[in-house]
Amino acid sequence: MTNTDKQKIQEILSRGVEDVFVRDHLEKALFCGKVLRIKFGIDPTGPKIHLGRAIPLRKLRALQDLGHQVILIIGDFTARIGDPSDKTEKRPVLTKKQVRDNMKNYKKSLAKIIDIKKAKIVYNSRWLSRLPFEKVIELADSFSVKQMENRRNFKERLERGDEVSLREFLYPLMQGYDSVVVGDYLEIGGFDQLFNLKAGRTIQKHYNMLEQDILTTAMLPGTDGRKMSTSWGNVINITDAPDDMFGKVMSIKDDLMMEYFLLCTGVSLGEMELIKKELSGGKNPRDIKMRLAHEIVSLYHGAKKADSARNSFVSVFQKRDVPEEVVVITAKNGDATAALVESKIVASKSELRRLVSAGAVTHLEAKNKVTDIDYLNKHNGTYKIGSRRFVRIVNG
């Protein structure tokens, strides 16, 4: 038997939730005490899991705590196809090696949220890599070209004259077939996954199976206000160092704070109302954001490291007249100098070299002047560049 606490179930079904399909059916199942099989698929398209991806994972953990069975599907096969959900352009095809490299620390990252010992973890290459072409044709017959063309992001791309590959059409078929193999009762995903999740129902129906219920969670804005996405580098990863995580949260715009409290913390809804009143009553947004950053860092690193990150932030930012909303730059492959140019913090590497030579670049945490441009590639942290440019460099 599972925990059927009404308040806990209602919060699972409402907090940060965009849609539940079919809600009445799912509510009855949760309240009857039966153990449900709950599926969640995650493609290792990158080596890290960010706060946006953590939202449905935290929902899974809440259901685990009630006693339900979580099935984590690591999409080592579907990652190679490339999920087109909410993408404005075609995803590149990943090699097997790239997928393997991305998976290296996945279990460790997932264990920060999910009780790994109680979860069932499977890899969809086990069945998708052996799927005969005859079966693919059969699955493809469940969908029309018109359905695919009307998918929002496909429609937008086609209207712009951009290419949409047949490979991308195959993705929802593969994800839907996952649901047939694992035989789940409920599938959870971000709202951008709705088309793929409903494909699972369509394909289950084709096989005369019980059609899964669906719960979709809200999408989290990234540090720049757009949807959080590894492709855009506007992410806060759950494995980021405490100081980096704290600093990234402090860099978000003030009007996103309550959304982050709702989607990324365990702060109660009642307490969130009090925080809103404090904001409307004139409390400094910086102090509220410090609370938010501490809550998030505590979730993934513990209270002591969150305390240390807060103290470090205060030391660097508040005691040195550094602006609180510092631009966060993600250094892909450790190349901070290229990231600074791409983000237009500096016009070119030549300009950056001139600034370094002039002693105009300072690493604030280390309290020293940068004398070698390569230093930026080796040391994360907050930098003052010139007289008025402040930037926080983190590894991608």
Side-chain angles (χ1 to χ4, degrees):
M1 292 291 288
T2 61
N3 186 335
T4 57
D5 182 284
K6 185 175 181 179
Q7 184 176 347
K8 289 181 180 178
I9 290 173
Q10 291 300 343
E11 182 165 357
I12 287 170
L13 295 177
S14 60
R15 179 167 180 161
V17 171
E18 285 287 336
D19 196 11
V20 180
F21 189 85
V22 181
R23 188 184 183 97
D24 289 346
H25 186 255
L26 179 57
E27 276 188 344
K28 287 176 183 176
L30 290 170
F31 285 128
C32 80
K34 178 184 176 182
V35 177
L36 304 184
R37 289 168 60 83
I38 302 167
K39 170 196 169 190
F40 178 76
I42 186 166
D43 286 353
T45 50
K48 298 179 181 179
I49 295 170
H50 57 65
L51 291 183
R53 281 186 155 191
I55 295 168
L57 286 167
R58 294 181 67 235
K59 196 68 72 175
L60 286 169
R61 179 56 190 257
L63 287 161
Q64 252 191 332
D65 290 343
L66 292 183
H68 296 287
Q69 172 68 57
V70 165
I71 305 167
L72 286 171
I73 298 182
I74 308 297
D76 56 333
F77 188 91
T78 41
R80 298 186 63 207
I81 300 174
D83 184 5
S85 298
D86 217 30
K87 291 291 175 288
T88 57
E89 58 187 24
K90 185 170 67 173
R91 272 188 183 272
V93 178
L94 297 180
T95 65
K96 286 184 179 181
K97 183 180 184 305
Q98 286 174 312
V99 173
R100 281 197 305 271
D101 289 344
N102 289 342
M103 286 195 304
K104 283 179 181 176
N105 296 311
Y106 248 49
K107 280 189 180 181
K108 185 177 178 181
S109 297
L110 290 167
K112 283 182 169 288
I113 304 172
I114 299 295
D115 186 339
I116 290 292
K117 292 179 181 179
K118 293 181 180 178
K120 181 178 181 181
I121 300 178
V122 291
Y123 298 83
N124 64 12
S125 62
R126 282 176 46 200
W127 52 86
L128 293 180
S129 63
R130 300 169 186 168
L131 200 64
F133 196 69
E134 181 181 10
K135 185 69 70 175
V136 175
I137 294 171
E138 184 183 326
L139 294 173
D141 203 39
S142 302
F143 300 88
S144 69
V145 171
K146 196 68 177 175
Q147 281 177 294
M148 294 293 182
E149 287 180 338
N150 286 336
R151 187 175 185 175
R152 181 182 55 79
N153 58 321
F154 285 166
K155 187 175 182 180
E156 290 173 357
R157 286 163 59 186
L158 290 168
E159 286 174 350
R160 291 198 307 266
D162 294 345
E163 182 181 286
V164 176
S165 74
L166 289 175
R167 165 173 61 91
E168 294 175 282
F169 279 12
L170 292 175
Y171 189 91
L173 277 66
M174 300 298 101
Q175 182 169 325
Y177 191 69
D178 287 349
S179 294
V180 170
V181 174
V182 301
D184 58 312
Y185 190 97
L186 166 67
E187 183 166 14
I188 293 179
F191 186 66
D192 62 339
Q193 290 286 314
L194 186 58
F195 188 95
N196 295 335
L197 303 181
K198 285 189 173 180
R201 288 177 59 87
T202 298
I203 293 173
Q204 285 174 325
K205 185 177 181 180
H206 172 79
Y207 283 94
N208 297 313
M209 296 174 66
L210 175 70
E211 295 171 49
Q212 65 189 17
D213 289 331
I214 295 168
L215 185 150
T216 57
T217 56
M219 307 307 296
L220 183 69
T223 53
D224 60 0
R226 297 181 295 173
K227 173 196 158 186
M228 189 171 284
S229 168
T230 302
S231 303
W232 290 331
N234 60 353
V235 300
I236 303 172
N237 295 307
I238 66 173
T239 52
D240 282 342
D243 285 0
D244 286 343
M245 185 180 285
F246 199 100
K248 284 184 181 181
V249 176
M250 292 301 296
S251 76
I252 69 171
K253 297 185 183 303
D254 291 350
D255 59 5
L256 295 178
M257 285 192 295
M258 297 315 300
E259 202 167 350
Y260 270 65
F261 267 113
L262 178 69
L263 300 176
C264 304
T265 78
V267 173
S268 70
L269 298 178
E271 194 169 355
M272 284 178 58
E273 288 302 316
L274 295 176
I275 293 171
K276 287 180 186 177
K277 287 179 181 178
E278 288 179 336
L279 281 169
S280 61
K283 186 166 183 177
N284 191 331
R286 176 203 62 206
D287 298 331
I288 302 295
K289 202 181 294 182
M290 293 272 281
R291 162 78 187 279
L292 171 65
H294 191 276
E295 290 282 347
I296 292 174
V297 175
S298 293
L299 269 178
Y300 299 105
H301 295 287
K304 286 185 178 180
K305 289 187 178 179
D307 289 345
S308 177
R310 179 178 57 201
N311 294 339
S312 175
F313 183 87
V314 169
S315 175
V316 172
F317 287 79
Q318 291 184 253
K319 293 181 181 179
R320 300 187 194 180
D321 295 323
V322 180
E324 290 156 16
E325 291 189 357
V326 171
V327 175
V328 177
I329 300 297
T330 302
K332 293 181 179 178
N333 301 317
D335 194 347
T337 55
L340 288 167
V341 175
E342 288 171 12
S343 303
K344 299 182 179 178
I345 301 298
V346 293
S348 64
K349 286 190 179 182
S350 296
E351 183 199 0
L352 185 58
R353 286 192 186 94
R354 286 195 297 272
L355 289 165
V356 168
S357 296
V361 179
T362 304
H363 186 188
L364 297 181
E365 284 88 351
K367 302 179 184 178
N368 62 25
K369 297 282 187 184
V370 175
T371 57
D372 178 2
I373 191 173
D374 196 44
Y375 179 94
L376 297 159
N377 298 327
K378 297 176 181 177
H379 301 277
N380 283 358
T382 312
Y383 290 83
K384 183 179 181 183
I385 300 176
S387 59
R388 288 180 291 180
R389 286 170 283 183
F390 294 88
V391 62
R392 187 171 187 83
I393 298 173
V394 298
N395 284 331

